[in-house]
Amino acid sequence: MTLFDAFRFDGKRVLVVGGATGMGAATAELALAAGAEVIVADCAPITMAGVRTIALDLADSATIDAALEQIGGPVHALVAAGVADGTPGIERINFLGHRYLIDRLLAADLLPSGAAIGFISSSAGLGWESNLTLLREYLSITDFHDAARWAVEHGKADYKFSKQAVCAYIATQALPLRSRGIRINAICPGPDTPLARANAASWLGFGADFRAVAGTEPARPIEQARPLLFLCSDAASAVNGITLTSDSGYFSSGMAGSFPAATPVVNFMLGR
């Protein structure tokens, strides 16, 4: 084995859910370059060359069932991307649909030992620990439709709670999945995020002061795809159950007080 073989995906199948655009698409392209057989699943048109495509709507469990029949073999890395605030059915798309797909893949033995799952969470999900009691109640509802109803009825069918659910799910599933030989992690992009570019009017103002001081721009999709795919690679075989904050240092600078303007935002997100 050469020095960088553990970073490659030769002989592996990578399923990117929500891979038509943005960070998901960048991850699919990077996996192709790393030698993987890549399947991209999305409800949006997929124009990428060199990949298999599957129509899948995470808001609809029936289309997830149908997609499962088309996968046709083991999935060695599953990448889970989401959508922005204000999208109808966000509680299903950002979390419940992914969890349902994972449950179905596990039941069909399509996530073998050695597989890895990588979510794209968000800085909006940080501070989930302070909301753990409610999140545990939510995660305990295993039925797709019942959980979706709970989110709506409790006023939690929103972006922030869906991302907190992702982070809490990763933490709670780290042990049971690892006992099956499967790892689960996420990246948490912050104010530098490609999704922010798509929602520039409301999002890009957040963190602009930090970027001005740091001399950075909002991250390009490939800059988020690299750490995400790394977490799904054999090179990260000892990394499990974490949410890696990939925000150019905004959150850490706010916690440490080295960028005081971020501190009130970070404290609010952490529920302090």
Side-chain angles (χ1 to χ4, degrees), residues 91 96 134 137-138 141 145-158 161:
E91 72 285 355
L96 294 175
L134 191 64
E137 179 182 342
Y138 181 49
I141 307 170
H145 300 288
D146 289 346
R149 278 192 293 271
W150 184 98
V152 172
E153 290 169 359
H154 287 74
K156 298 298 181 182
D158 57 44
F161 193 78

Short mmCIF file of all heavy atoms in Angstrom, two decimals, residues 91 96 134 137-138 141 145-158 161:
data_model
loop_
_atom_site.label_atom_id
_atom_site.label_comp_id
_atom_site.label_asym_id
_atom_site.label_seq_id
_atom_site.Cartn_x
_atom_site.Cartn_y
_atom_site.Cartn_z
N GLU A 91 -37.91 19.09 7.12
CA GLU A 91 -37.65 18.12 8.19
C GLU A 91 -37.44 16.72 7.63
O GLU A 91 -36.68 15.92 8.18
CB GLU A 91 -38.80 18.14 9.21
CG GLU A 91 -40.11 17.52 8.75
CD GLU A 91 -40.92 18.40 7.78
OE1 GLU A 91 -40.50 19.54 7.52
OE2 GLU A 91 -41.96 17.92 7.30
N LEU A 96 -34.99 13.16 8.09
CA LEU A 96 -35.79 11.94 8.17
C LEU A 96 -35.65 11.05 6.93
O LEU A 96 -35.60 9.81 7.06
CB LEU A 96 -37.27 12.29 8.39
CG LEU A 96 -37.58 12.96 9.73
CD1 LEU A 96 -39.04 13.38 9.78
CD2 LEU A 96 -37.23 12.03 10.89
N LEU A 134 -35.12 17.04 24.07
CA LEU A 134 -36.12 17.09 23.02
C LEU A 134 -35.68 16.29 21.80
O LEU A 134 -36.49 15.61 21.16
CB LEU A 134 -36.41 18.54 22.65
CG LEU A 134 -37.62 18.78 21.74
CD1 LEU A 134 -38.91 18.36 22.46
CD2 LEU A 134 -37.71 20.25 21.34
N GLU A 137 -36.28 12.64 22.26
CA GLU A 137 -37.69 12.32 22.05
C GLU A 137 -37.99 12.18 20.56
O GLU A 137 -38.67 11.23 20.13
CB GLU A 137 -38.57 13.41 22.66
CG GLU A 137 -40.07 13.17 22.47
CD GLU A 137 -40.92 14.29 23.05
OE1 GLU A 137 -40.42 15.07 23.89
OE2 GLU A 137 -42.12 14.38 22.65
N TYR A 138 -37.47 13.11 19.78
CA TYR A 138 -37.67 13.09 18.33
C TYR A 138 -37.02 11.87 17.69
O TYR A 138 -37.65 11.15 16.90
CB TYR A 138 -37.08 14.37 17.76
CG TYR A 138 -37.20 14.57 16.27
CD1 TYR A 138 -38.41 14.41 15.61
CD2 TYR A 138 -36.09 14.97 15.51
CE1 TYR A 138 -38.53 14.63 14.24
CE2 TYR A 138 -36.20 15.20 14.16
CZ TYR A 138 -37.42 15.03 13.52
OH TYR A 138 -37.52 15.25 12.17
N ILE A 141 -38.66 8.39 17.71
CA ILE A 141 -39.79 8.10 16.81
C ILE A 141 -39.21 7.55 15.52
O ILE A 141 -38.72 8.29 14.66
CB ILE A 141 -40.64 9.36 16.54
CG1 ILE A 141 -41.06 10.00 17.86
CG2 ILE A 141 -41.85 9.02 15.69
CD1 ILE A 141 -41.69 11.37 17.69
N HIS A 145 -43.19 8.78 8.88
CA HIS A 145 -44.36 9.68 8.85
C HIS A 145 -44.70 10.21 10.24
O HIS A 145 -45.06 11.38 10.40
CB HIS A 145 -45.55 8.97 8.22
CG HIS A 145 -45.30 8.51 6.82
ND1 HIS A 145 -45.22 9.39 5.76
CD2 HIS A 145 -45.07 7.27 6.31
CE1 HIS A 145 -44.98 8.72 4.65
NE2 HIS A 145 -44.88 7.44 4.95
N ASP A 146 -44.58 9.35 11.25
CA ASP A 146 -44.86 9.79 12.62
C ASP A 146 -43.87 10.87 13.06
O ASP A 146 -44.24 11.85 13.70
CB ASP A 146 -44.79 8.61 13.59
CG ASP A 146 -45.96 7.65 13.43
OD1 ASP A 146 -46.96 8.02 12.78
OD2 ASP A 146 -45.85 6.52 13.95
N ALA A 147 -42.60 10.68 12.70
CA ALA A 147 -41.58 11.66 13.07
C ALA A 147 -41.81 12.98 12.35
O ALA A 147 -41.62 14.06 12.93
CB ALA A 147 -40.19 11.12 12.76
N ALA A 148 -42.23 12.91 11.09
CA ALA A 148 -42.51 14.14 10.34
C ALA A 148 -43.68 14.89 10.96
O ALA A 148 -43.64 16.13 11.08
CB ALA A 148 -42.81 13.79 8.88
N ARG A 149 -44.70 14.16 11.39
CA ARG A 149 -45.84 14.81 12.05
C ARG A 149 -45.41 15.45 13.36
O ARG A 149 -45.83 16.57 13.69
CB ARG A 149 -46.96 13.79 12.29
CG ARG A 149 -47.83 13.54 11.07
CD ARG A 149 -49.08 12.76 11.43
NE ARG A 149 -48.75 11.40 11.85
CZ ARG A 149 -48.66 10.37 11.00
NH1 ARG A 149 -48.88 10.55 9.70
NH2 ARG A 149 -48.36 9.17 11.44
N TRP A 150 -44.57 14.75 14.13
CA TRP A 150 -44.09 15.30 15.40
C TRP A 150 -43.38 16.62 15.16
O TRP A 150 -43.58 17.59 15.90
CB TRP A 150 -43.14 14.29 16.06
CG TRP A 150 -42.64 14.69 17.42
CD1 TRP A 150 -43.13 14.29 18.62
CD2 TRP A 150 -41.54 15.58 17.70
NE1 TRP A 150 -42.42 14.87 19.65
CE2 TRP A 150 -41.43 15.67 19.11
CE3 TRP A 150 -40.66 16.30 16.92
CZ2 TRP A 150 -40.47 16.46 19.73
CZ3 TRP A 150 -39.69 17.10 17.53
CH2 TRP A 150 -39.60 17.16 18.92
N ALA A 151 -42.51 16.69 14.16
CA ALA A 151 -41.76 17.91 13.88
C ALA A 151 -42.69 19.06 13.57
O ALA A 151 -42.51 20.19 14.06
CB ALA A 151 -40.79 17.67 12.73
N VAL A 152 -43.71 18.80 12.77
CA VAL A 152 -44.66 19.85 12.40
C VAL A 152 -45.47 20.28 13.62
O VAL A 152 -45.63 21.48 13.90
CB VAL A 152 -45.58 19.37 11.26
CG1 VAL A 152 -46.70 20.38 11.01
CG2 VAL A 152 -44.78 19.13 9.99
N GLU A 153 -45.98 19.31 14.36
CA GLU A 153 -46.83 19.61 15.51
C GLU A 153 -46.09 20.34 16.62
O GLU A 153 -46.69 21.12 17.38
CB GLU A 153 -47.43 18.31 16.06
CG GLU A 153 -48.47 17.69 15.12
CD GLU A 153 -48.85 16.27 15.53
OE1 GLU A 153 -48.28 15.77 16.54
OE2 GLU A 153 -49.70 15.67 14.85
N HIS A 154 -44.78 20.12 16.73
CA HIS A 154 -43.99 20.76 17.78
C HIS A 154 -43.27 22.02 17.29
O HIS A 154 -42.44 22.59 18.02
CB HIS A 154 -42.96 19.77 18.35
CG HIS A 154 -43.56 18.71 19.22
ND1 HIS A 154 -44.29 17.64 18.71
CD2 HIS A 154 -43.57 18.57 20.57
CE1 HIS A 154 -44.69 16.88 19.71
NE2 HIS A 154 -44.28 17.42 20.85
N GLY A 155 -43.61 22.47 16.09
CA GLY A 155 -42.98 23.67 15.55
C GLY A 155 -41.49 23.51 15.28
O GLY A 155 -40.72 24.48 15.36
N LYS A 156 -41.08 22.28 14.95
CA LYS A 156 -39.66 21.98 14.74
C LYS A 156 -39.36 21.57 13.29
O LYS A 156 -38.29 21.01 13.03
CB LYS A 156 -39.20 20.88 15.69
CG LYS A 156 -39.31 21.27 17.16
CD LYS A 156 -38.41 22.46 17.50
CE LYS A 156 -38.48 22.84 18.95
NZ LYS A 156 -37.63 24.03 19.25
N ALA A 157 -40.26 21.87 12.39
CA ALA A 157 -40.04 21.54 10.97
C ALA A 157 -39.27 22.68 10.32
O ALA A 157 -39.75 23.36 9.41
CB ALA A 157 -41.36 21.29 10.26
N ASP A 158 -38.05 22.91 10.82
CA ASP A 158 -37.25 24.04 10.33
C ASP A 158 -35.80 23.62 10.15
O ASP A 158 -35.39 22.53 10.53
CB ASP A 158 -37.35 25.23 11.28
CG ASP A 158 -36.94 24.90 12.72
OD1 ASP A 158 -35.90 24.23 12.91
OD2 ASP A 158 -37.65 25.32 13.65
N PHE A 161 -33.51 22.94 13.57
CA PHE A 161 -33.80 21.70 14.29
C PHE A 161 -33.41 20.49 13.44
O PHE A 161 -32.94 19.49 13.98
CB PHE A 161 -35.28 21.63 14.69
CG PHE A 161 -35.56 20.53 15.68
CD1 PHE A 161 -35.25 20.71 17.03
CD2 PHE A 161 -36.13 19.33 15.28
CE1 PHE A 161 -35.50 19.70 17.95
CE2 PHE A 161 -36.39 18.32 16.20
CZ PHE A 161 -36.08 18.50 17.53
#
